[in-house]
Amino acid sequence: MSTLRGKQKRYLRAQAHSMHPLVNVGKNGLSKIWLDQVEDAIEKRELVKIAILQNADVDVTDVKTYIEENSRIEIVQTIGRILVVYKRSDNPDNRDFSNEVDAI
């Protein structure tokens, strides 16, 4: 798995700026089922925002560590309780951002 360079992360952060969080972490916390939902969403979109709700038992560091250790998803940015995550789609039809990231 390749690590994103600074310019690539900057491009992805700019693209994610106007997005709303698509996935939430709530009181049920982190689980394999939750991670499967994130991976399904990211397979279709490549770039996803995750919000950690106020009633969650985990914090941003826990979520980052869980994602990095259990998947190939890369953390692009964290702001407060919001994470921006990215993974190149396996389906060429869903590659909206990865083609541009590869060109940078």
Side-chain angles (χ1 to χ4, degrees), residues 3-94:
T3 303
L4 293 172
R5 294 187 312 273
K7 287 185 178 184
Q8 293 170 325
K9 284 186 178 183
R10 187 170 35 237
Y11 167 77
L12 292 170
R13 285 193 307 259
Q15 298 303 311
H17 178 73
S18 62
M19 291 181 171
H20 295 286
L22 186 66
V23 181
N24 294 321
V25 179
K27 65 180 179 178
N28 294 335
L30 305 171
S31 66
K32 178 65 177 145
I33 295 169
W34 176 84
L35 189 59
D36 290 342
Q37 290 175 344
V38 172
E39 288 176 335
D40 288 343
I42 213 162
E43 180 61 33
K44 293 181 179 89
R45 299 175 186 253
E46 289 190 319
L47 190 64
V48 173
K49 274 189 178 179
I50 299 172
I52 303 170
L53 301 178
Q54 294 292 329
N55 63 348
D57 294 335
V58 294
D59 62 0
V60 176
T61 309
D62 298 333
V63 176
K64 281 177 62 173
T65 304
Y66 185 80
I67 290 172
E68 290 171 342
E69 290 178 354
N70 296 302
S71 69
R72 298 182 311 139
I73 298 171
E74 294 189 55
I75 309 297
V76 175
Q77 181 182 34
T78 59
I79 298 178
R81 300 175 71 84
I82 304 289
L83 283 88
V84 178
V85 295
Y86 166 81
K87 184 177 90 65
R88 181 183 177 96
S89 178
D90 295 329
N91 184 350
D93 295 334
N94 295 337

Side-chain angles (χ1 to χ4, degrees), residues 46 86 88-89 94-103:
E46 289 190 319
Y86 166 81
R88 181 183 177 96
S89 178
N94 295 337
R95 292 185 185 158
D96 296 328
F97 299 110
S98 59
N99 294 332
E100 191 68 32
V101 167
D102 292 343

